[in-house]
Amino acid sequence: MKVLVLNGGSSSLKYDLWETSPEMIAADSDLLLESGNVERVTSFDDAIRTVFEKMGNEPVGAVGHRVVHGGDVFRSSVIIDAGVEDAIDKLSALAPLHNPHNLAAIRAARRRLPDVPQVAVFDTAFHATLPPQSYAYALPYEYLAEKKIRRYGFHGISHRYVSWRFAQIHGKTRADYRMITCHLGNGCSVCAIDRGKSIDTSMGFTPLEGLVMGTRSGDVDAGAILYLISHEKVEPAEVLRILNGASGLKGLSGVSNDMRDVLKKAQAGDARANLAVDVFCYRVRKYIGAYLAAMNGADALIFTGGIGENSVEIRKRICSNMEGLGICLDPQANAEKAREDRMIGSSSVPVWVVPTEEELLIARDTVRCILNIPHE
Ligand code: ADP
């Protein structure tokens, strides 16, 4: 079956066309036929027309959509019907920067392909297994029970894919391992996966909590935010923009949100760039330590995402002086550049690079939902 995978953003539409089937999934032989990005999107109807023109108007059997927020409603991928669209719409309140665009892409795809089944694959769904001790914030209980203010976690598609892939390489299942997966890209998060289940993750109610990211702050004392609003008189909307768009690597370094640029400046002796890299790496180390504690150890530490897969230097800085916790990189293996699954540390907690394939997982879930076969 040809599956079109769509990821509708604020001004872009990323697309991939996969050929996949239950047999191809089992043989890990799915084929990527096309991949691209339509930029400066003002109408998803136009963008989808462009996608089909680029694909030579190739017919598709199904469409899989990446949807950021599934709240506590969606615990796995689902076939989209009017009720699902409605629920995604309601969840826009929790993810105003993402869900409205995801939904607009869904609706445009339905207008173009009214008879083709469409499936939603959620960034939050893999974290539906979080136990209350990790999803509850210690706010008054009604905020959790009534307002649903809690940790949801994101990047679940990536954490799920790399944890599946790591187990598959070893001829086992995710349930055989305790893993810590670090997705380090423009957005960054860490996940503790205890015998197949996500039991904690660094992103929270929104994708802002946790690690330092390209332009997002990660963890900040809520008191500091309130001080900005009440004492410095910064408007809440402006604080939100600063936390999401002007913080992280970009804000601290003053250089860029791109780790390559920040590293280059840091290595040339720029103190602010070096501080940004130090804060970035130290934050990841703290979360790894926390998740070792949460699972009483780990059987694998896995790096993925643009930075996690490619940056020899960042992996080195994160993993240095962690021998006491059983983590040690092999410098030669770490320095290799191939984009492939590989072990980079054979310490008691083995360290791996596993390139993520979020679109592949979306294509596979789409087929599995339509044919009603169980997800891995
Ligand atoms: P997204 O989260 O948008 O999917 P990616 O996973 O592609 O993004 O990650 C993008 C980030 O990866 C950028 O910050 C970029 O600087 C970083 N990156 C890519 N290659 C390297 C590299 N060789 N060294 C350091 N950082 C890199």
Side-chain angles (χ1 to χ4, degrees):
M1 182 189 285
K2 287 201 172 66
V3 179
L4 177 63
V5 175
L6 294 179
N7 183 355
S10 57
S11 64
S12 69
L13 180 67
K14 288 192 195 146
Y15 67 94
D16 286 84
L17 183 65
W18 285 87
E19 171 87 49
T20 183
S21 65
E23 296 73 30
M24 292 172 95
I25 294 171
D28 202 17
S29 64
D30 329 60
L31 290 173
L32 178 61
L33 305 175
E34 301 264 355
S35 181
N37 190 13
V38 184
E39 294 187 70
R40 287 188 285 278
V41 169
T42 47
S43 141
F44 280 111
D45 292 288
D46 294 346
I48 287 177
R49 193 172 317 119
T50 306
V51 168
F52 275 93
E53 277 163 15
K54 290 192 180 190
M55 296 192 310
N57 288 309
E58 181 99 33
V60 301
V63 184
H65 293 269
R66 178 185 194 145
V67 180
V68 165
H69 217 312
D72 61 357
V73 182
F74 298 107
R75 302 178 67 88
S76 61
S77 306
V78 287
I79 295 183
I80 301 171
D81 58 17
V84 169
E85 278 187 27
D86 201 37
I88 293 171
D89 192 19
K90 289 209 175 84
L91 289 163
S92 289
L94 298 181
L97 304 178
H98 298 99
N99 273 33
H101 307 298
N102 303 152
L103 185 59
I106 289 170
R107 289 182 166 152
R110 180 170 304 293
R111 283 192 287 272
R112 165 94 194 198
L113 306 162
D115 301 321
V116 170
Q118 309 208 29
V119 169
V121 181
F122 298 92
D123 263 312
T124 47
F126 184 58
H127 305 298
T129 50
L130 292 182
Q133 64 181 11
S134 33
Y135 73 63
Y137 293 117
L139 294 167
Y141 184 76
E142 310 78 73
Y143 290 21
L144 171 63
E146 287 157 28
K147 300 185 197 299
K148 309 259 172 91
I149 296 178
R150 48 159 283 180
R151 177 183 313 288
Y152 291 101
F154 299 88
H155 284 150
I157 302 168
S158 181
H159 293 297
R160 182 176 147 212
Y161 176 82
V162 299
S163 57
W164 167 81
R165 178 74 184 143
F166 176 84
Q168 190 231 16
I169 292 165
H170 294 83
K172 297 200 170 185
T173 73
R174 209 189 270 125
D176 295 310
Y177 297 98
R178 295 163 302 168
M179 304 182 196
I180 298 173
T181 49
C182 304
H183 178 104
L184 310 178
N186 275 316
C188 300
S189 69
V190 192
C191 185
I193 306 170
D194 193 359
R195 296 174 182 85
K197 289 187 176 150
S198 168
I199 59 128
D200 206 350
T201 189
S202 56
M203 282 177 169
F205 179 65
T206 73
L208 189 53
E209 195 180 353
L211 300 181
V212 174
M213 312 183 208
T215 59
R216 279 173 258 169
S217 61
D219 296 331
V220 179
D221 179 358
I225 311 301
L226 296 171
Y227 176 86
L228 277 180
I229 294 170
S230 63
H231 192 266
E232 295 289 322
K233 309 290 179 213
V234 184
E235 290 296 323
E238 175 64 1
V239 174
L240 190 66
R241 189 196 67 77
I242 292 167
L243 292 171
N244 274 302
S247 300
L249 292 176
K250 185 181 173 194
L252 259 186
S253 71
V255 175
S256 160
N257 63 318
D258 190 312
M259 182 58 100
R260 286 166 291 201
D261 302 336
V262 181
L263 269 175
K264 217 177 278 168
K265 273 272 189 178
Q267 281 155 351
D270 185 279
R272 266 179 68 181
N274 197 49
L275 174 67
V277 175
D278 276 345
V279 176
F280 181 97
C281 294
Y282 182 65
R283 186 79 53 84
V284 179
R285 288 162 66 87
K286 283 210 292 191
Y287 273 94
I288 293 171
Y291 294 166
L292 284 169
M295 296 190 290
N296 191 21
D299 307 305
L301 171 63
I302 300 171
F303 286 100
T304 195
I307 299 172
E309 291 166 28
N310 297 305
S311 183
V312 177
E313 176 66 18
I314 294 297
R315 292 193 303 256
K316 186 173 110 188
R317 282 167 84 150
I318 291 170
C319 295
S320 65
N321 290 320
M322 287 187 103
E323 299 83 3
L325 294 173
I327 293 168
C328 190
L329 288 187
D330 168 355
Q332 224 174 331
N334 184 44
E336 272 169 33
K337 292 258 157 85
R339 191 181 189 267
E340 60 188 23
D341 313 303
R342 60 190 200 279
M343 183 159 76
I344 56 170
S346 56
S347 41
S348 61
V349 179
V351 187
W352 278 68
V353 170
V354 177
T356 194
E357 292 282 4
E358 293 164 281
E359 289 75 21
L360 171 60
L361 183 50
I362 295 170
R364 287 178 172 179
D365 266 17
T366 301
V367 166
R368 289 187 277 231
C369 278
I370 290 168
L371 301 180
N372 201 17
I373 52 180
H375 299 187
E376 36 68 26

